[in-house]
Amino acid sequence: QVLDPATYSTVPIDGKICREAMKSFASHYSFDDFRALDEESKDFIMKSAHAAMNSLDSAYRCTHHFPNDDDIRTPGYTTYVRTRELEQFFENCPDKIDSVIIREIRVGFEKTVKGVRRYFKRVKPTDFEFLALFGLSLWNDEIFNLNEKLLHIAMRNRSMILRELHSYYTHQGNYAERIGHIYSLLVYFQ
């Protein structure tokens, strides 16, 4: 896959594509419960899950596409941003972004993006663990604010994911250590 540098104007399109892909993942590949929900509930869940799922996805793709460059974030499936190239990112922004703002954004990126990438690389989640993290991010705590029905569905799906992880770790022989890392990673991304 070819990744292109992101620009300010591509981020809304990238975000929409990302949300739709995550919605498709939840509907078609993972959870019958999600597929049966009305569109308003699906949209609420995706909105509440997007930030964590997007960060997880970005860390995963960056680790695979740019394993030795912790300066990169992927705001979309086909784009990336380097912290040191933020000036180019904002070139097509309709508002003038001065160097002070860019410097502050760069500091924020360095704290979050590099920290997330380092922790992700240290934990090295397997594909199975990554999918579990994705599912736990989807069925997140904010869902509980919508209604009782969604609370029940979210709790049931989280329990199912945790049972699968338990079974997986039982065969791996490192349950306590890995489940601790996975939960820490999930909290870090949220």
Side-chain angles (χ1 to χ4, degrees):
Q1 173 181 10
V2 176
L3 298 175
D4 295 317
T7 63
Y8 181 84
S9 64
T10 62
V11 170
I13 296 164
D14 290 341
K16 184 176 181 181
I17 291 168
C18 185
R19 279 189 301 280
E20 288 303 314
M22 290 173 188
K23 194 174 181 179
S24 180
F25 161 80
S27 262
H28 301 292
Y29 302 109
S30 300
F31 301 100
D32 293 336
D33 291 337
F34 188 88
R35 188 178 12 248
L37 294 172
D38 61 81
E39 286 304 310
E40 181 182 344
S41 296
K42 288 178 185 178
D43 290 340
F44 175 82
I45 291 170
M46 293 315 305
K47 185 177 180 182
S48 69
H50 181 259
M53 291 176 80
N54 187 41
S55 292
L56 273 165
D57 179 66
S58 180
Y60 182 82
R61 283 184 294 116
C62 285
T63 300
H64 286 83
H65 292 293
F66 306 99
N68 300 315
D69 189 350
D70 288 343
D71 189 44
I72 291 183
R73 169 83 163 91
T74 56
Y77 288 119
T78 60
T79 60
Y80 68 91
V81 174
R82 278 195 172 87
T83 305
R84 63 182 176 268
E85 298 172 352
L86 285 174
E87 289 80 8
Q88 291 89 343
F89 174 82
F90 285 110
E91 279 180 353
N92 68 352
C93 180
D95 299 317
K96 176 137 174 64
I97 307 296
D98 66 27
S99 60
V100 174
I101 294 172
I102 290 174
R103 187 171 45 249
E104 290 301 315
I105 293 170
R106 186 172 285 124
V107 167
F109 261 43
E110 288 172 358
K111 285 180 182 175
T112 58
V113 174
K114 288 183 180 182
V116 164
R117 288 280 306 279
R118 269 187 243 119
Y119 196 63
F120 193 85
K121 286 164 89 173
R122 190 174 84 207
V123 172
K124 294 180 184 160
T126 64
D127 288 346
F128 184 85
E129 289 170 323
F130 175 77
L131 288 173
L133 282 164
F134 225 53
L136 290 169
S137 294
L138 176 70
W139 300 108
N140 65 78
D141 294 340
E142 285 189 41
I143 291 172
F144 304 156
N145 296 324
L146 190 59
N147 66 36
E148 191 78 23
K149 176 186 167 193
L150 285 184
L151 168 64
H152 178 69
I153 292 169
M155 302 253 319
R156 183 175 58 234
N157 283 315
R158 287 177 77 87
S159 292
M160 178 190 65
I161 293 166
L162 292 173
R163 277 193 307 275
E164 291 291 326
L165 276 174
H166 176 75
S167 175
Y168 177 74
Y169 292 137
T170 300
H171 296 296
Q172 302 293 320
N174 56 354
Y175 182 83
E177 176 186 357
R178 289 308 290 175
I179 198 74
H181 284 306
I182 294 305
Y183 265 106
S184 293
L185 197 57
L186 182 62
V187 167
Y188 203 89
F189 280 98
Q190 290 176 333

